[in-house]
Amino acid sequence: MHYIKKEFEEAIKNIDNNEALKQLKAQFLGKKGRVTELFKRISDLGNEQKKEFGKNINQLKSYIENAIKEKQTQINEFVKRKSLEEESIDITLPSRVSNFGAIHPITKTIIEIEDIFKSMGFDVETGYEIEYDKYNFELLNIPKEHPARDMQDTFYINDNVVLRTHTSPTQVRVMQKKNPPVMFISPGKVYRRDSDITHSPMFHQIEGLLIDKDIHFSDLKGVLSEFLRMFFGDVPVRFRPSYFPFTEPSAEVDIGCIICKGKGCRVCSHTGYLEVLGCGMVHPNVLRNVNYPKDYNGFAFGLGVERFAMLKYGIDNIKLFFENDVRFLKQFSF
Amino acid sequence: MRVSYRWLKEFVDIDISAEELANKITMAGLEVDSVDKIETYKSIVGEILEIQEKGSLYLTKVDVGDSVLNIATADKTIKIGDKFPVVKAGGVIKNDVKIEKRKFGDFVSEGMMLSAAELGLEDSSSGLFRLDSSFKNGTNLSDIEEFDDYLIEIEFTPNRADALSILGVARDVRALLKKDIKFPEDSFSVISDKNINNVISVEIQNYDACPRYTLFVADVTVKESPFFIRSRLLKSGIRPINNIVDITNYVLMAFGQPMHAFDLNRLNEKIVVRNASKGEKILALDGREYELDENMLIIADSKEPIAIAGVMGGENFSVMDDTKTIALESAFFDPVSVRLTARKLKLHTDASHRFERGVDPNLCIKANHYALNLLEKYADAKIYDGHIDAKKDEFKEKTFDVSFENVNRLLGTNFDKKEMLEVLDYLNFKPKELNDNTFSVSVPTYRFDIEMEADIAEEVARCIGYDKVPSTFPVVQTSFKPKKRIDEIKRQLTKTLADYGLCEAVNYAFIDSNKLKLFNKNENEFIYLKNPLIEGQDVMRTTLVCGLLDNLTFNINKNAKSVALFEIGRVFFKDNDYSKELDKLGVVLWGVESFNWHNKERFYDFYDLKGVSEMVEKAFNLKFMYERSNQAFLHPGRSADLLLGGNNIGFIGELHPDIYDLYDIKFDKKVRVLIAEIDLNAIADYSSKIKMYEKLPKLPTVVRDLAIVVDKEVKASNIQDVIESFDSVYDVVLFDMYDKLEDSSIKSLAFRIVLKNDEKTFTDQEIDKIMDKIFSALKEKFNANLRG
């Protein structure tokens, strides 16, 4: 009996398919199988021995049955695995989605800036791209023959209508419509008669205005510093006196050059700083022009979207934005 | 403006480096673009000992201290004893030009004498840069005072007219460093036997345009200016001419007062300041003739214009080599008057630049005195007794009161009173404390930009430093404002279309009117630019398609094989004198739609484009009607107008084959150009944000297919509508279309129909009944037959 067990164990070891396992089963447990043969020998034994012998054979039988079952499971697993392996494909082939589009970097930048200001509670307003001279200049404290008109070379439709040279007319438009407090930004296209490597006759600005009681220049510093850090990361920010006819005091805002980290490079003209924003406290004349009560004041700012996009994505030629070369655009599908 | 650091130091004590100074004034509002040390290229002083003429060249011997060099030059004006900057052979000058030995016959030139341009002081020079004869031969130029200097390039904002001079910058530096201004000496002596009133008189006819006109007269000798004047003018970007002109320019740079010297002997009788008569002409110093009009102020003699007031002098009345007596003008002209004249004549000069921004009316005499002091020293001037000072009124300083509290509140600061008053005092505002909270200021007559309290707040802040203002965050009580639907739509659409595989384009809003006419026959709607930058950008777009097709051409020329672009932007229609602006979505598709390992190559076609409009429908819960379009620029059989609420809100379709050529696109039967445009304002009007959900079927649905044959002209969407009109129909999909049958007038369509019943489960008989009903309806309406 012991010998049969040994023999079985030797045999099952090398079996790796269902066919052989079936044969093995027949060889030991079949009608003429080795174990079955053993049972036949029971009748030759005495009662005492019968009992002992029967128990042993039954043990051997169930041992063999279990072993075969186990082997069966192993073989099934193996067969399944093998057939899945045969179905293996090249997972590095590209997907069926072949056309990836992209949002224009200007729009991406506007969305990012809008979302920052929205999170601070600013509303979003839109203005007109074709404006009256009155809104583009006069109500913003830029009378005819003011030298500041030289700062912005203007496209004219007729003597009183221009392509807006900045998004600032939206300030006046909104204030004429709404009572204070107001708090909004306004993105859009603006136009200046100027074209070279760094100037495009059409570009994008985002205007901002906040009017309430008791707003300080320090608030302007706080809001814009926070915005710049949210957009550019942790960069130094500095405010420098400047001039805009519609703000007083006025400032230009520089950030530490993100290319050279302030060491001085070609992009920042070796100053270590990049000019990114113009801003100031809204000029009392502008508030008077829209008949706002005297106890209200506030700040305004304007930024060039192309400049922000160029710095953010390292784009070195403003023309790229408007050629709409698909090889350029597709890079912004992220 | 370029400011010499050395010159500036003569007006105010500066104990910091040029770079530190540049940073300080930048942070106070005078933005410095660059600070450059003057480069001398290791040149040394050389004196000409001998000159030998040879053809167009002069072969010279030049004493450079330790040796005598042979140097050839082309400058005709050189004389023995003249001194010039010399670079020996082997040296390197501007733009890395290497100086080498050169042979002229048996004369070997061993170096080069330099012009101002070669030293980088001007763009081009007519001759060599003559040095002062007192300089020792062989001295390094870098050791000579005027060359040991920095040039500070400042970009001035238009409000700071007061700072457009060395004095002006010095006044800001004074306030920042808390130092005193030092004025140059301006005394001179007069000759008592000649009196100005015997030789000239001044008559002002228009005091509004010329509130003040001052004049001195002197006999002079015209010659070359001294070295320091020539070098300082060059450093300021002004070309030296002769001592008289140079001194007027020197005073302009020093004080910011434009001056002009007339040749007295060329004037007739007197000076009249008047408006020109229409058509009057003047030959100006730039050699060009200008036609004047009655709004332009001129300086005239008794006969004709001798200068365009505040802009440019007349060629025939200016100082020339033979001039013996000059009349020296220093005036104050009205900024707007000068600006209008300069702009109309397109003549921008150093003088007009300053006058149109504002020149101190109280500076006239002081500037004249300084000029006369220099003329006496460097032009042997004999100054006539007396002077003319024509004016109606005195020029008084404006005064107003300012509140300490208001300044601090506007700035959000806590500056103390003493600090504020000190700064304003250094800026010459003569602040006087009136009471605890108020002080008065007196605005210097050179500060045209200071009018009110806010201006004083800025002066205080810019001098104490914007960096001393804290950063705070305002708390604003604003009411909830719902988002504007059009803005939401634009943003959502951008994202949707990018996800659909299109790239967003951004185009100029001005386009070529000739191209626009292809897409819009109604020229009355066009808005033309009065002053376009280039010819092909002369009209505001009324459609986005023109720009997108230009983009397509551009990309095809760059060898693109697949172009799928959209743009969301404004279009503009004329509305009387003004415009109506609409937001549109434009699309162009062209070329390869798919080219990959799992599909055949396929090109964009009408149905890809229709996918875009269907996405718009889905995204905003709308249903467009598609009707055949008769737009002339679209393929008549492969285009549709989109209708929403009965209004035409756009189109989709293939570009008409006739138009391909005009955009340099090759027409290819397989590869078509597809364009679309949709009015987003209409989408905003019709779409609702809220969509109620539809209940799901309670019981399992049943699926049946129905294949029919109909006339080719029958619209699939109409059939679908009829099927959908049955209550039991839950969903319909057209899953097959075949129109290449033997009978070419018919097509076969197959629909998969999903049926639902909320009461009980369908029996087979019931299903057959419904399908029969559907088929009967189709038979009746479209003459449909079951497919055999």
Side-chain angles (χ1 to χ4, degrees):
Chain A
M1 200 177 299
H2 185 69
Y3 175 73
I4 294 178
K5 191 177 174 192
K6 261 272 171 69
E7 199 182 337
F8 172 77
E9 282 172 347
E10 262 326 297
I12 199 164
K13 235 192 234 165
N14 300 319
I15 284 177
D16 65 351
N17 61 67
N18 277 324
E19 208 44 51
L21 191 66
K22 229 183 198 166
Q23 272 178 29
L24 185 76
K25 195 176 172 184
Q27 194 185 335
F28 284 88
L29 301 178
K31 270 187 189 139
K32 287 181 179 162
R34 305 284 299 272
V35 178
T36 320
E37 292 293 320
L38 280 179
F39 274 111
K40 287 176 185 162
R41 277 164 51 192
I42 281 186
S43 52
D44 303 340
L45 298 171
N47 273 352
E48 272 302 293
Q49 270 182 315
K50 244 184 205 168
K51 207 173 174 186
E52 180 66 27
F53 190 71
K55 195 175 150 201
N56 285 343
I57 300 177
N58 274 324
Q59 267 177 3
L60 179 65
K61 188 185 173 197
S62 69
Y63 169 78
I64 290 175
E65 276 171 351
N66 281 337
I68 286 175
K69 217 184 237 164
E70 205 175 293
K71 192 76 188 182
Q72 181 73 57
T73 316
Q74 276 175 17
I75 289 170
N76 287 347
E77 275 304 312
F78 174 78
V79 168
K80 199 155 70 187
R81 203 169 61 231
K82 210 170 152 198
S83 82
L84 289 180
E85 264 167 23
E86 278 160 9
E87 284 181 5
S88 160
I89 55 169
D90 181 356
I91 53 161
T92 65
L93 281 181
S95 78
R96 289 182 205 278
V97 185
S98 53
N99 295 329
F100 289 95
I103 298 177
H104 195 283
I106 294 288
T107 309
K108 282 181 93 73
T109 307
I110 289 175
I111 288 175
E112 188 176 349
I113 293 172
E114 267 187 15
D115 287 349
I116 293 174
F117 280 108
K118 279 179 185 169
S119 75
M120 295 186 195
F122 283 80
D123 196 11
V124 179
E125 297 276 356
T126 44
Y128 299 103
E129 291 175 30
I130 296 183
E131 262 298 1
Y132 288 107
D133 184 281
K134 189 172 81 172
Y135 284 99
N136 195 71
F137 295 118
E138 272 163 65
L139 291 171
L140 288 164
N141 206 29
I142 317 174
K144 287 218 159 73
E145 312 323 329
H146 192 289
R149 289 203 178 195
D150 281 354
M151 292 163 92
Q152 310 175 353
D153 216 344
T154 312
F155 283 110
Y156 281 90
I157 302 295
N158 58 46
D159 287 345
N160 299 313
V161 180
V162 302
L163 298 190
R164 67 174 174 186
T165 58
H166 47 186
T167 40
S168 305
T170 315
Q171 286 185 30
V172 181
R173 292 269 185 189
V174 172
M175 285 194 284
Q176 281 185 344
K177 220 167 51 192
K178 286 185 181 169
N179 290 325
V182 295
M183 188 177 180
F184 70 87
I185 60 162
S186 180
K189 293 187 170 74
V190 300
Y191 304 86
R192 291 187 197 170
R193 226 177 150 278
D194 205 355
S195 184
D196 58 39
I197 309 169
T198 52
H199 296 91
S200 162
M202 182 194 84
F203 57 102
H204 297 74
Q205 278 190 341
I206 295 181
E207 188 77 9
L209 181 73
L210 187 156
I211 304 283
D212 199 356
K213 284 183 178 159
D214 224 17
I215 298 296
H216 321 291
F217 187 66
S218 58
D219 295 329
L220 167 66
K221 276 190 76 173
V223 168
L224 292 181
S225 302
E226 188 62 19
F227 156 67
L228 289 170
R229 276 191 280 267
M230 283 169 89
F231 188 88
F232 287 112
D234 197 17
V235 289
V237 174
R238 74 172 190 189
F239 287 69
R240 189 157 55 67
S242 188
Y243 170 73
F244 305 103
F246 36 94
T247 51
E248 187 74 27
S250 305
E252 248 159 19
V253 189
D254 300 337
I255 57 167
C257 180
I258 52 178
I259 313 288
C260 63
K261 306 279 175 250
K263 285 190 205 87
C265 65
R266 203 176 51 82
V267 176
C268 62
S269 315
H270 303 282
T271 60
Y273 280 95
L274 296 165
E275 188 180 311
V276 292
L277 264 170
C279 61
M281 301 303 287
V282 177
H283 198 286
N285 290 352
V286 175
L287 294 171
R288 204 182 49 221
N289 289 342
V290 296
N291 298 315
Y292 264 25
K294 271 217 154 108
D295 50 341
Y296 282 91
N297 74 334
F299 63 75
F301 57 88
L303 64 87
V305 178
E306 279 76 2
R307 176 118 175 110
F308 275 64
M310 286 168 100
L311 290 174
K312 183 124 194 166
Y313 302 120
I315 298 165
D316 54 6
N317 187 344
I318 198 165
K319 254 171 54 192
L320 283 167
F321 289 121
F322 307 111
E323 286 175 347
N324 300 306
D325 188 321
V326 289
R327 296 168 301 179
F328 172 74
L329 297 175
K330 289 230 180 224
Q331 294 181 30
F332 298 91
S333 59
F334 53 90
Chain B
M1 192 176 92
R2 230 154 59 185
V3 172
S4 151
Y5 176 61
R6 174 170 289 279
W7 198 356
L8 188 62
K9 285 214 282 198
E10 287 182 4
F11 280 80
V12 61
D13 270 330
I14 300 173
D15 45 16
I16 52 176
S17 73
E19 270 86 7
E20 285 172 295
L21 179 76
N23 185 50
K24 262 208 150 56
I25 61 177
T26 295
M27 294 310 287
L30 304 183
E31 189 182 351
V32 173
D33 277 349
S34 60
V35 179
D36 292 309
K37 190 172 182 354
I38 288 187
E39 181 59 68
T40 57
Y41 303 103
K42 297 192 175 130
S43 56
I44 50 177
V45 176
E47 179 181 355
I48 296 190
L49 301 179
E50 281 174 33
I51 306 173
Q52 187 198 336
E53 202 174 331
K54 192 182 178 197
S56 62
L57 277 183
Y58 299 88
L59 310 178
T60 66
K61 291 210 178 298
V62 180
D63 177 355
V64 291
D66 57 357
S67 58
V68 173
L69 302 178
N70 288 328
I71 298 178
T73 177
D75 188 336
K76 288 196 208 49
T77 67
I78 55 166
K79 297 185 301 291
I80 288 174
D82 280 353
K83 297 190 178 183
F84 297 104
V86 171
V87 176
K88 291 184 190 171
V92 174
I93 60 166
K94 215 178 128 194
N95 301 331
D96 293 327
V97 174
K98 201 169 173 212
I99 306 301
E100 318 220 28
K101 283 191 182 175
R102 288 178 69 187
K103 270 187 150 175
F104 301 94
D106 49 8
F107 182 90
V108 179
S109 186
E110 300 165 297
M112 182 170 163
M113 291 189 279
L114 302 183
S115 68
E118 279 148 352
L119 280 167
L121 286 170
E122 60 181 341
D123 291 338
S124 67
S125 296
S126 55
L128 298 178
F129 186 39
R130 194 169 279 104
L131 301 172
D132 197 282
S133 57
S134 69
F135 297 157
K136 218 176 130 228
N137 296 346
T139 312
N140 287 323
L141 247 65
S142 57
D143 291 337
I144 293 169
E145 274 193 1
E146 286 302 328
F147 289 106
D148 180 16
D149 197 1
Y150 293 84
L151 299 182
I152 304 173
E153 181 78 47
I154 305 177
E155 198 180 317
F156 292 96
T157 51
N159 59 322
R160 291 303 306 277
D162 64 288
L164 292 171
S165 64
I166 305 293
L167 170 65
V169 175
R171 282 190 295 238
D172 263 22
V173 173
R174 169 193 195 230
L176 297 172
L177 301 182
K178 304 206 179 359
K179 299 276 165 104
D180 280 324
I181 288 283
K182 295 176 289 182
F183 278 95
E185 229 234 291
D186 63 356
S187 65
F188 54 90
S189 51
V190 293
I191 47 172
S192 51
D193 57 330
K194 287 184 175 172
N195 190 295
I196 186 172
N197 294 312
N198 297 333
V199 291
I200 192 88
S201 67
V202 170
E203 177 195 341
I204 300 179
Q205 288 182 3
N206 182 350
Y207 276 101
D208 290 334
C210 176
R212 190 176 191 186
Y213 194 93
T214 73
L215 201 71
F216 282 80
V217 171
D219 292 336
V220 293
T221 308
V222 179
K223 54 187 176 186
E224 189 178 63
S225 297
F227 169 73
F228 86 93
I229 288 185
R230 280 184 290 121
S231 58
R232 286 185 180 184
L233 288 181
L234 283 168
K235 286 190 247 182
S236 307
I238 299 172
R239 174 173 290 188
I241 312 255
N242 59 44
N243 55 348
I244 312 299
V245 175
D246 290 354
I247 285 169
T248 60
N249 281 332
Y250 190 82
V251 174
L252 166 81
M253 276 311 299
F255 285 175
Q257 170 70 55
M259 302 190 71
H260 189 67
F262 295 103
D263 184 332
L264 187 80
N265 297 324
R266 294 179 211 264
L267 303 185
N268 287 298
E269 296 168 64
K270 59 176 179 177
I271 283 177
V272 185
V273 185
R274 61 169 171 87
N275 285 34
S277 17
K278 193 161 179 59
E280 228 172 340
K281 285 181 183 141
I282 183 169
L283 180 67
L285 270 172
D286 61 0
R288 288 166 54 197
E289 189 176 74
Y290 292 90
E291 189 171 326
L292 308 167
D293 70 33
E294 64 276 18
N295 294 317
M296 296 175 181
L297 191 75
I298 55 160
I299 315 299
D301 62 10
S302 61
K303 279 187 173 162
E304 59 186 314
I306 59 172
I308 307 164
V311 182
M312 193 177 266
E315 171 77 21
N316 299 331
F317 309 92
S318 297
V319 174
M320 292 170 207
D321 289 347
D322 61 352
T323 296
K324 296 279 178 277
T325 309
I326 58 165
L328 195 59
E329 166 201 292
S330 173
F332 171 59
F333 299 111
D334 176 60
V336 173
S337 163
V338 173
R339 180 173 172 71
L340 285 174
T341 304
R343 210 169 60 180
K344 214 162 194 176
L345 297 176
K346 296 193 171 72
L347 186 54
H348 191 81
T349 62
D350 283 330
S352 71
H353 185 78
R354 285 171 175 80
F355 276 125
E356 65 186 46
R357 282 162 175 75
V359 170
D360 184 3
N362 284 324
L363 189 64
C364 298
I365 294 287
K366 210 173 175 52
N368 244 328
H369 282 182
Y370 185 36
L372 292 166
N373 171 283
L374 295 170
L375 287 168
E376 193 173 38
K377 283 188 214 156
Y378 306 112
D380 314 323
K382 305 276 177 291
I383 296 141
Y384 288 27
D385 201 7
H387 69 275
I388 293 167
D389 186 357
K391 63 185 171 191
K392 252 213 293 241
D393 305 302
E394 292 304 314
F395 302 92
K396 294 215 182 74
E397 298 192 332
K398 247 182 318 194
T399 63
F400 57 87
D401 293 351
V402 179
S403 136
F404 288 110
E405 197 191 322
N406 289 353
V407 170
N408 267 329
R409 187 186 306 139
L410 179 63
L411 297 174
T413 50
N414 218 344
F415 293 148
D416 72 39
K417 294 181 193 173
K418 227 185 87 198
E419 201 178 6
M420 273 192 216
L421 295 178
E422 191 192 25
V423 161
L424 291 169
D425 191 40
Y426 270 110
L427 287 168
N428 290 337
F429 283 98
K430 306 187 191 71
K432 270 201 224 75
E433 202 169 345
L434 301 176
N435 58 46
D436 244 15
N437 186 36
T438 321
F439 61 97
S440 70
V441 291
S442 211
V443 182
T445 48
Y446 51 80
R447 289 305 297 268
F448 289 76
D449 57 330
I450 306 294
E451 283 170 345
M452 55 177 79
E453 208 167 52
D455 299 322
I456 294 297
E458 182 178 75
E459 290 301 299
V460 168
R462 77 178 180 91
C463 288
I464 293 178
Y466 276 14
D467 56 333
K468 299 288 187 303
V469 177
S471 283
T472 54
F473 226 82
V475 179
V476 181
Q477 300 294 331
T478 51
S479 50
F480 168 76
K481 290 162 229 122
K483 279 185 235 147
K484 271 158 242 71
R485 188 72 181 127
I486 185 81
D487 294 337
E488 272 184 293
I489 283 172
K490 286 190 320 203
R491 201 193 261 204
Q492 187 183 341
L493 205 51
T494 304
K495 181 105 188 41
T496 304
L497 294 172
D499 289 345
Y500 186 57
L502 276 64
C503 287
E504 189 192 7
V506 176
N507 280 296
Y508 289 156
F510 24 64
I511 58 173
D512 187 343
S513 57
N514 290 322
K515 282 185 178 160
L516 181 57
K517 284 172 199 163
L518 299 171
F519 298 91
N520 188 347
K521 299 282 174 221
N522 189 1
E523 246 188 279
N524 293 329
E525 299 183 323
F526 290 13
I527 297 174
Y528 285 96
L529 295 183
K530 252 176 84 174
N531 55 340
L533 199 60
I534 57 171
E535 217 175 291
Q537 298 175 348
D538 59 334
V539 73
M540 297 303 285
R541 59 187 179 186
T542 66
T543 171
L544 301 179
V545 165
C546 286
L548 289 167
L549 287 174
D550 280 333
N551 300 154
L552 175 59
T553 307
F554 177 90
N555 278 293
I556 291 175
N557 290 340
K558 298 270 172 194
N559 224 359
K561 293 286 170 254
S562 173
V563 177
L565 295 172
F566 73 98
E567 179 170 8
I568 291 175
R570 294 269 173 88
V571 297
F572 307 83
F573 297 93
K574 198 176 166 102
D575 184 11
N576 293 319
D577 278 344
Y578 195 52
S579 81
K580 199 172 74 190
E581 300 184 10
L582 293 176
D583 290 293
K584 298 258 186 174
L585 162 70
V587 177
V588 63
L589 301 178
W590 172 90
V592 176
E593 191 276 337
S594 54
F595 175 60
N596 47 43
W597 57 271
H598 53 80
N599 260 331
K600 286 210 305 237
E601 182 173 35
R602 190 170 82 69
F603 299 96
Y604 281 113
D605 66 18
F606 179 87
Y607 298 104
D608 293 301
L609 186 65
K610 196 175 176 190
V612 173
S613 65
E614 281 180 357
M615 291 201 62
V616 175
E617 291 178 70
K618 278 265 170 292
F620 305 110
N621 190 25
L622 299 166
K623 195 155 170 44
F624 298 156
M625 299 280 294
Y626 291 80
E627 288 198 350
R628 266 201 202 290
S629 174
N630 57 8
Q631 298 272 24
F633 55 88
L634 294 174
H635 185 307
R638 296 182 166 196
S639 62
D641 285 338
L642 308 182
L643 277 74
L644 184 60
N647 298 316
N648 188 330
I649 59 131
F651 61 82
I652 60 172
E654 272 185 22
L655 185 67
H656 196 289
D658 290 351
I659 297 183
Y660 283 61
D661 260 5
L662 301 161
Y663 276 93
D664 294 326
I665 299 166
K666 210 177 79 210
F667 181 79
D668 179 329
K669 242 179 143 27
K670 270 191 345 205
V671 190
R672 304 295 179 93
V673 176
L674 299 142
I675 53 173
E677 188 165 63
I678 299 177
D679 179 0
L680 298 182
N681 302 80
I683 303 289
D685 290 345
Y686 282 95
S687 74
S688 67
K689 239 200 273 194
I690 300 157
K691 182 187 177 189
M692 291 297 180
Y693 108 106
E694 220 172 280
K695 283 206 171 64
L696 301 179
K698 282 182 194 141
L699 301 167
T701 52
V702 184
V703 178
R704 284 288 184 281
D705 290 347
L706 176 66
I708 55 168
V709 177
V710 290
D711 192 276
K712 222 174 195 171
E713 292 308 309
V714 175
K715 286 181 192 156
S717 70
N718 291 351
I719 299 175
Q720 183 141 354
D721 286 346
V722 168
I723 299 172
E724 275 172 354
S725 69
F726 284 84
D727 282 346
S728 315
V729 173
Y730 182 63
D731 195 17
V732 185
V733 179
L734 172 68
F735 70 90
D736 190 32
M737 194 286 296
Y738 190 69
D739 61 357
K740 308 265 182 309
L741 298 163
E742 248 171 72
D743 179 351
S744 65
S745 71
I746 56 170
K747 64 185 170 189
S748 137
L749 299 171
F751 296 92
R752 175 153 291 175
I753 301 171
V754 183
L755 299 168
K756 61 159 184 172
N757 187 347
D758 285 341
E759 267 79 64
K760 60 185 188 60
T761 311
F762 282 121
T763 63
D764 282 350
Q765 287 89 335
E766 281 166 333
I767 294 168
D768 290 344
K769 225 164 133 190
I770 294 168
M771 290 305 290
D772 281 348
K773 266 197 209 160
I774 292 174
F775 175 67
S776 308
L778 299 183
K779 188 168 179 70
E780 190 190 324
K781 290 213 165 77
F782 308 109
N783 197 22
N785 288 305
L786 284 174
R787 189 160 72 190

